[in-house]
Amino acid sequence: MRKIFLDCGAHCGCSVRKFRQETIDFEDYEIYCFEANHNLIPYLNKEPNITVIHKAVWSKDSQQQFFILGTQPICGGSTLFASKAKKARLIETVETDTVDLSGWIMSNFNKDDYIFLKMDIEGAEYSTLDKMVEDGSIEYIDRFEGEWHAHKIGMSTKITFDMIKKLKEYGLSSKEWNAINREKYGCIG
């Protein structure tokens, strides 16, 4: 059995540092960091068990506009959603490749692998998780933690409650993930 940590929305690598601090058998995991903000790629750890994928997580393979937000190119929650970009300070708009996470999971892993899915993808979590439920790739996931962003992309919070209910049907909790802690995890944003 392989052990996998999928860091969707890797930012500066602070989630990997948190995972390392909280996981006794960290060295046994294959780690995949998905990050679309080109300004953050240089900050991601290049250890042997870490693979950096410079793409936005989404429900299909495509190319889309990606909005880099914040007060500096390395701060803020960048997003695929123009509605979120309108509510925040836009630094840059770029074209980015997206990855169909569910297809990628089913192409690279087996259901008997242990997969921890961490998701902080600034609104794309709803479409991505819906697709995973629809095609059955959610059954590959053993542990889920993430952040919910309905309010930041102009959607009703009901969508979050509905998604949490769906995840529970697959035995997954909806534990909130937070690695934004400069002292503890070295976060830069």
Side-chain angles (χ1 to χ4, degrees):
M1 173 184 70
R2 293 162 68 191
K3 294 180 180 179
I4 313 296
F5 179 63
L6 300 179
D7 186 4
C8 300
H11 196 255
C12 65
C14 49
S15 289
V16 169
R17 289 187 290 277
K18 175 181 177 173
F19 182 69
R20 178 186 291 129
Q21 288 181 22
E22 296 179 355
T23 306
I24 295 169
D25 57 348
F26 171 82
E27 294 83 16
D28 296 341
Y29 279 80
E30 297 171 43
I31 298 170
Y32 297 88
C33 295
F34 292 89
E35 180 54 56
N37 183 340
H38 61 92
N39 299 301
L40 293 168
I41 297 299
Y43 295 94
L44 295 174
N45 199 333
K46 305 293 194 280
E47 293 180 28
N49 63 333
I50 297 175
T51 302
V52 176
I53 301 168
H54 185 192
K55 294 183 179 184
V57 170
W58 188 235
S59 56
K60 63 183 175 182
D61 293 327
S62 65
Q63 194 169 67
Q64 293 192 44
Q65 282 192 319
F66 185 71
F67 305 95
I68 298 173
L69 311 172
T71 55
Q72 313 171 36
I74 58 171
C75 296
S78 301
T79 185
L80 293 169
F81 289 86
S83 57
K84 183 177 183 220
K86 289 177 185 175
K87 297 177 184 178
R89 182 165 180 233
L90 177 65
I91 293 176
E92 180 181 9
T93 302
V94 297
E95 287 290 314
T96 193
D97 290 326
T98 65
V99 62
D100 171 6
L101 186 66
S102 61
W104 187 86
I105 288 170
M106 291 189 294
S107 295
N108 289 285
F109 308 114
N110 297 309
K111 286 184 180 179
D112 60 343
D113 293 328
Y114 180 85
I115 302 176
F116 179 167
L117 174 60
K118 171 259 164 178
M119 202 174 265
D120 184 4
I121 53 176
E122 304 299 321
E125 61 270 19
Y126 303 103
S127 175
T128 303
L129 289 168
D130 273 338
K131 174 117 188 293
M132 291 178 72
V133 168
E134 180 182 306
D135 68 15
S137 63
I138 197 71
E139 295 174 16
Y140 286 62
I141 307 305
D142 297 282
R143 181 175 169 189
F144 174 84
E145 293 186 26
E147 290 187 21
W148 304 104
H149 299 90
H151 63 289
K152 291 185 177 181
I153 60 170
M155 298 175 81
S156 164
T157 55
K158 182 181 182 313
I159 192 171
T160 299
F161 297 118
D162 291 345
M163 185 56 66
I164 289 169
K165 184 178 177 183
K166 283 182 193 178
L167 292 174
K168 284 182 181 177
E169 291 172 13
Y170 291 91
L172 299 170
S173 72
S174 59
K175 186 175 177 187
E176 183 82 11
W177 180 269
N178 187 353
I180 304 296
N181 184 316
R182 284 183 179 86
E183 293 77 38
K184 200 168 183 180
Y185 309 121
C187 186
I188 61 171

